Amino acid sequence: MTKRVVTLAHYYTSPEIQQMADKVGDSLELSLYAKEAQADIIVFAGVRFMAETAKILNPQADVVLPDAGSTCSLVTQTDVAALTQWRKRYPDHVHVSYINSSAEHKAVSDWIVTSRNVDDIIAHLYAEGKKVIFSPDRNMGGYLNYQYDYDMPLWSAVCEVHDKFNETALNEAFDAVPGEKYLIAHPESPLPVLKKADYVGSTSGMLNWVKNYQGGAKAVIFVATEDGILYNMGLARPDLDLRQAPIYAGCQCNSCPFMKMNTVEAVKRAQQGEGLHIDYLSPEQMDAARLPIERMLEFSQRYYA
Ligand code: SF4
C-alpha cells in the first residue's frame, strides 16, 4: 500500500524547500499541523527539536528529519543534567521553556511556549501569582524581563543566528537610509536591537506585520531574523523594500546553517523514508514532554479562540 507522506517546511528553509512542502509555517503552526496530519510519514524540513515535537504530538506517524545534523544552538548549549540542577534551585517557581528545546528538556518543563504565545502565557502565570524561571533563550527571557519588569531567573543559551544582529551595524544601516525606515525583530535577537525595534514578535507575527504594512511606499523595512522569511515577505508584499538587518557593517546576511541542511536532495530522500527517524524517544519521555506542550496548546485554543 502506498504510504501517505506529508512534508512540512519551516519558514527558515530555502524557497525551493518551501515549494516542496504541503505546509509552510513557524514552530507553532507546524506543530499543530503535525498533530492532526493523516500521514504515515511526516517529513520535517526544519530542525531536530521540531521533528521531535511532531513525533510527540503524533506518535503514530513515522517522523523523518532529512539531515540528522539539523540541530539548534539553543539545544546544543543546554546540558539537560545541568538544567535539571538549575531547576532544583527554584522549587517554588514554574519552569517555562521555549519550544526550541530537546524532548528531554521539555520533559523537565512545566510549560512550553513559542515566540507567538510566550508573552501571554507568562503574563497569565504572573497574574495567577506564580513565580517563573525561563529557559533556554536568554535573549528572549531578558527581553520579557525588560519589557514587563519581570524578575525571571534565566538559563543562558542563545540562537547563534539571531544573537549576531548588532546594534552598531544597525545604526550604520539606519544612518545610510535618509527617509522613513522601520525595524521588525524576532525576540531571539539581543536586547539593544530589540529596544530599537518598531515591532518585536514571532516569525508569523513579523510576516503579518509586513502583510498589513500601510506606511510610506518608499520606506525601508529592516528585518532582524533568519533570511528564509524574506522570501515569504517578498511574496506577500513585492512592493516593499525589505532588507535583512545587518550583523556587521555592510552585511545583510544571516542564515541558519541547520535549517539550510534541508537540501532538495535530502528532502527527496526523506520522502522515500531515508533520514533520521524520530524513533528513539521512550513512551515515558514522550508523555513527560507532551504534558507541557498540551498545556500550551490548550491555553492557545482557549485564549485566542
Ligand atoms: S535560527 Fe536559531 S533558533 Fe532557529 S533553528 Fe537556527 S539556531 Fe535554532
Side-chain angles (χ1 to χ4, degrees):
M1 202 170 72
T2 314
K3 293 201 167 172
R4 291 163 299 174
V5 180
V6 166
T7 302
L8 311 180
H10 192 272
Y11 283 129
Y12 293 170
T13 57
S14 53
E16 55 273 24
I17 300 301
Q18 296 189 30
Q19 286 156 14
M20 293 169 77
D22 298 293
K23 170 78 181 166
V24 179
D26 66 10
S27 294
L28 182 60
E29 289 164 338
L30 294 179
S31 298
L32 289 169
Y33 195 88
K35 186 177 180 201
E36 304 300 333
Q38 301 292 315
D40 299 304
I41 300 179
I42 297 176
V43 173
F44 210 122
V47 295
R48 186 159 168 168
F49 75 78
M50 296 177 180
E52 288 181 347
T53 305
K55 179 71 182 177
I56 290 162
L57 291 173
N58 191 343
Q60 283 75 38
D62 179 10
V63 180
V64 184
L65 185 70
D67 189 310
S70 304
T71 183
C72 166
S73 62
L74 287 165
V75 172
T76 57
Q77 291 172 18
T78 303
D79 176 86
V80 177
L83 178 86
T84 306
Q85 289 307 313
W86 175 74
R87 200 266 171 272
K88 283 185 184 155
R89 284 164 45 196
Y90 304 98
D92 56 345
H93 284 58
V94 177
H95 182 197
V96 176
S97 298
Y98 187 31
I99 198 163
N100 295 25
S101 50
S102 65
E104 217 187 341
H105 183 151
K106 288 183 175 76
V108 295
S109 307
D110 299 307
W111 282 79
I112 297 301
V113 293
T114 69
S115 49
R116 197 140 32 121
N117 55 33
V118 60
D119 297 54
D120 294 328
I121 287 178
I122 292 181
H124 163 77
L125 293 170
Y126 271 100
E128 286 191 327
K130 307 254 171 61
K131 292 191 274 187
V132 177
I133 57 171
F134 185 78
S135 69
D137 190 323
R138 70 156 187 258
N139 283 342
M140 184 178 287
Y143 177 70
L144 291 162
N145 278 346
Y146 161 79
Q147 184 75 358
Y148 301 109
D149 209 18
Y150 297 149
D151 54 359
M152 295 185 292
L154 307 176
W155 183 256
S156 187
V158 292
C159 160
E160 66 175 45
V161 177
H162 289 85
D163 195 52
K164 288 199 184 85
F165 291 115
N166 175 282
E167 187 190 15
T168 309
L170 194 59
N171 287 340
E172 286 174 16
F174 264 44
D175 290 346
V177 174
E180 200 176 339
K181 57 222 155 196
Y182 298 92
L183 170 68
I184 59 175
H186 193 281
E188 291 168 19
S189 309
L191 188 57
V193 171
L194 296 174
K195 282 183 180 174
K196 291 181 71 71
D198 298 285
Y199 173 78
V200 176
S202 67
T203 317
S204 291
M206 294 166 82
L207 183 57
N208 285 335
W209 189 95
V210 167
K211 283 180 182 166
N212 298 325
Y213 173 80
Q214 294 194 335
K218 294 209 166 118
V220 173
I221 300 169
F222 290 98
V223 180
T225 192
E226 211 273 352
D227 63 1
I229 193 66
L230 271 292
Y231 167 67
N232 309 83
M233 290 176 174
L235 287 180
R237 291 294 302 267
D239 55 315
L240 300 181
D241 186 348
L242 296 156
R243 303 181 193 179
Q244 200 188 27
I247 56 174
Y248 54 84
C251 166
Q252 285 172 358
C253 48
N254 205 6
S255 197
C256 176
F258 310 116
M259 288 285 184
K260 299 306 189 277
M261 287 177 177
N262 292 285
T263 60
V264 171
E265 295 70 32
V267 173
K268 279 188 184 160
R269 280 197 299 271
Q271 289 170 333
Q272 301 302 319
E274 283 181 45
L276 178 70
H277 292 257
I278 311 296
D279 55 6
Y280 49 83
L281 300 172
S282 69
E284 294 74 27
Q285 270 179 322
M286 289 207 279
D287 287 348
R290 190 178 302 112
L291 196 67
I293 303 173
E294 293 283 10
R295 226 170 240 151
M296 167 189 74
L297 296 179
E298 193 270 326
F299 175 91
S300 298
Q301 273 162 1
R302 199 160 28 93
Y303 195 84
Y304 305 119

